[in-house]
Amino acid sequence: MHVVSSDGFDIYIGKNNTQNDYLTLKFANPNDIWLHTKDIPGSHVIIKTNNKSVPETTLIEAAKLAAKYSKAKNSSNVPVDYTLKKYVKKPSGAKPGFVIYTNQKTLYVNPE
């Protein structure tokens, strides 16, 4: 799934484990921003940065999408982690959609 943020950045959302793997491991560039709900199953979300700095409004919009397309879609104040794609790794032998990541920050958003 693809949307454009109010600031004009492309945001991509994986809708299943296979799409999440493809988006995160093959499609995203090292300096793109990767988002996912913290400790909650859900979609991987990628902001294509084109090596530009991403405004907070785009980050929040993408975080809300990550929350909306997760098991926490009916919750409020959902924690969403984000980091650069280059800090996201797939452990060898891990099932589709499973990754580990470092250097993250966390936003708290309400799904919309």
Side-chain angles (χ1 to χ4, degrees), residues 28-49:
N29 295 320
N31 289 322
D32 289 342
I33 296 174
W34 177 89
L35 303 93
H36 192 281
T37 46
K38 183 181 184 76
D39 303 325
I40 302 163
S43 293
H44 292 203
V45 176
I46 300 288
I47 303 171
K48 293 298 270 181
T49 64

Side-chain angles (χ1 to χ4, degrees), residues 23-103:
L23 259 187
T24 301
L25 305 169
K26 299 202 167 43
F27 180 77
N29 295 320
N31 289 322
D32 289 342
I33 296 174
W34 177 89
L35 303 93
H36 192 281
T37 46
K38 183 181 184 76
D39 303 325
I40 302 163
S43 293
H44 292 203
V45 176
I46 300 288
I47 303 171
K48 293 298 270 181
T49 64
N50 298 318
N51 294 316
K52 295 187 189 117
S53 116
V54 173
E56 189 176 3
T57 45
T58 292
L59 256 182
I60 290 168
E61 287 170 27
K64 286 180 176 186
L65 288 165
K68 178 180 178 179
Y69 293 103
S70 77
K71 295 265 194 254
K73 64 178 172 282
N74 297 319
S75 308
S76 57
N77 224 20
V78 177
V80 176
D81 284 343
Y82 67 98
T83 189
L84 293 178
K85 187 311 193 160
K86 65 183 169 189
Y87 299 123
V88 180
K89 306 271 182 278
K90 183 172 194 69
S92 62
K95 59 186 193 270
F98 183 82
V99 294
I100 53 175
Y101 54 94
T102 56
N103 297 30

